[in-house]
Amino acid sequence: MAIEVPQVQRIGRSDDLAIIQAIIRDGCCIIKNFTDVDTVKKVNEETRPYLEADKPWKGDLFPPETRRCTNLVGRSKTVRERWIVDPLIRKLTRTFIDKTTSNYYGEIKHTYTSEAILSIAMTFDIGPGAEAQRLHRDDKNFHVDHEDQTKPHSRTGQPWPFPGSHLWGFDRAPKADEAICAEMDVTDCWVMLGGLYHAGGANITQNEHRILNGFFFCRGFYRQEENSYLCNSTEDVLSWSPEVQRIMGYELSSPNIGFVHFKTPLQHLRGDKIEEFGDFDAPQEAK
């Protein structure tokens, strides 16, 4: 029996309510005409030197034909002034990521809202011959526990006949034949929740490059209360014991939270020259 899957909805950027409803139902959608061709060209020009300087990846996360530009907001003025502050993006992060809670401060009830922050922004240049990534969830980095929301007994209160994979429980593996392609025009924007299974597609062309600019947001409280990174000098940090460095956040959180241009924080502070970039965690394939 063939598995029926929802199609990706394509919605104009002016219909923000429909975009939100599509993300709730399917975990994703394509925003039509999110930007314009000239803006895309400017961003591509600003990121090209960094893409050309990047090295092949040694590991499973990216195919070796892919090149990356990290620190996209810092390296692209156009990204800073046009995309990262776009009102529609802010409306979506406010809807899906901001968190508001209330607590008593003495006998007075106080309400606090933690606003979304950028977790990572990166340009990907998928070169000819690149194989597809394996299907994965991005929120694995934050160790999200996924409850199966496709059954009537879940907290949704009703069955979802054609759910997106953001509703699956943690014990359901994604299958390649359940995936569908999300082809876009150059001015479109792909939006998804971190719990949606997805993968970068293969580039089967002989000489065409697929360039994608990605922005990934998280809740604002996913960081230390005290910003020790600005409190302490590089010299001081490097003088600490490895255990203190780890406790203070200068090692990565598995699988890959906290890197600096694909280096660990300590490698960056020491000025280590890394000849090959690759996966931070060891492979977990069955022997």
Side-chain angles (χ1 to χ4, degrees), residues 80-202:
R80 288 195 302 273
E81 296 182 352
R82 298 291 298 275
W83 288 345
I84 202 68
V85 293
D86 188 286
L88 177 56
I89 297 299
R90 179 63 190 117
K91 183 159 191 174
L92 295 179
T93 58
R94 184 184 301 115
T95 301
F96 292 101
I97 305 178
D98 286 12
K99 186 173 181 61
T100 299
T101 55
S102 296
N103 286 277
Y104 280 93
Y105 200 11
E107 296 185 5
I108 299 175
K109 193 174 187 179
H110 286 222
T111 299
Y112 311 94
T113 296
S114 178
E115 296 186 353
I117 59 173
L118 187 72
S119 178
I120 182 175
M122 189 184 305
T123 299
F124 306 88
D125 181 347
I126 304 172
E131 296 182 355
Q133 288 181 308
R134 287 188 286 184
L135 291 163
H136 62 280
R137 279 171 161 159
D138 284 345
D139 66 6
K140 68 182 185 301
N141 296 331
F142 296 101
H143 296 260
V144 175
D145 292 317
H146 283 277
E147 177 185 346
D148 186 351
Q149 300 182 59
T150 66
K151 299 177 181 179
H153 63 70
S154 71
R155 61 171 171 246
T156 60
Q158 58 182 355
W160 289 77
F162 307 111
S165 60
H166 65 303
L167 301 174
W168 297 355
F170 70 92
D171 56 350
R172 178 175 176 179
K175 304 295 184 182
D177 60 2
E178 295 178 280
I180 56 178
C181 292
E183 297 181 359
M184 295 182 288
D185 295 323
V186 69
T187 59
D188 293 347
C189 175
W190 163 261
V191 181
M192 68 177 182
L193 298 178
L196 185 84
Y197 277 108
H198 68 285

Side-chain angles (χ1 to χ4, degrees), residues 30-271:
I30 291 174
I31 303 174
K32 296 296 297 178
N33 297 314
F34 170 80
T35 188
D36 58 82
V37 173
D38 288 341
T39 300
V40 174
K41 288 181 177 179
K42 288 180 181 178
V43 174
N44 289 345
E45 291 172 0
E46 291 165 350
T47 59
R48 185 175 298 114
Y50 304 100
L51 295 170
E52 292 176 349
D54 194 28
K55 302 175 182 179
W57 191 263
K58 300 292 183 181
D60 295 331
L61 187 58
F62 302 109
E65 295 82 3
T66 292
R67 298 294 181 268
R68 297 145 296 270
C69 171
T70 57
N71 187 27
L72 180 55
V73 172
R75 289 170 164 173
S76 171
K77 179 181 179 181
T78 306
V79 166
R80 288 195 302 273
E81 296 182 352
R82 298 291 298 275
W83 288 345
I84 202 68
V85 293
D86 188 286
L88 177 56
I89 297 299
R90 179 63 190 117
K91 183 159 191 174
L92 295 179
T93 58
R94 184 184 301 115
T95 301
F96 292 101
I97 305 178
D98 286 12
K99 186 173 181 61
T100 299
T101 55
S102 296
N103 286 277
Y104 280 93
Y105 200 11
E107 296 185 5
I108 299 175
K109 193 174 187 179
H110 286 222
T111 299
Y112 311 94
T113 296
S114 178
E115 296 186 353
I117 59 173
L118 187 72
S119 178
I120 182 175
M122 189 184 305
T123 299
F124 306 88
D125 181 347
I126 304 172
E131 296 182 355
Q133 288 181 308
R134 287 188 286 184
L135 291 163
H136 62 280
R137 279 171 161 159
D138 284 345
D139 66 6
K140 68 182 185 301
N141 296 331
F142 296 101
H143 296 260
V144 175
D145 292 317
H146 283 277
E147 177 185 346
D148 186 351
Q149 300 182 59
T150 66
K151 299 177 181 179
H153 63 70
S154 71
R155 61 171 171 246
T156 60
Q158 58 182 355
W160 289 77
F162 307 111
S165 60
H166 65 303
L167 301 174
W168 297 355
F170 70 92
D171 56 350
R172 178 175 176 179
K175 304 295 184 182
D177 60 2
E178 295 178 280
I180 56 178
C181 292
E183 297 181 359
M184 295 182 288
D185 295 323
V186 69
T187 59
D188 293 347
C189 175
W190 163 261
V191 181
M192 68 177 182
L193 298 178
L196 185 84
Y197 277 108
H198 68 285
N203 184 346
I204 61 175
T205 70
Q206 297 297 315
N207 54 16
E208 295 181 9
H209 285 250
R210 306 294 193 225
I211 297 178
L212 173 70
N213 300 289
F215 307 93
F216 305 82
F217 295 85
C218 68
R219 285 181 162 164
F221 53 80
Y222 284 161
R223 50 184 165 177
Q224 285 99 327
E225 186 171 353
E226 180 180 43
N227 194 327
S228 64
Y229 309 114
L230 298 182
C231 291
N232 300 286
S233 69
T234 297
E235 182 181 11
D236 287 341
V237 172
L238 293 179
S239 72
W240 298 343
S241 71
E243 182 66 3
V244 171
Q245 291 169 340
R246 182 193 65 78
I247 292 171
M248 295 299 288
Y250 288 88
E251 289 291 353
L252 299 186
S253 170
S254 178
N256 54 15
I257 288 292
F259 68 82
V260 185
H261 300 308
F262 297 123
K263 298 180 182 180
T264 69
L266 289 174
Q267 289 173 331
H268 175 74
L269 292 180
R270 291 193 302 258

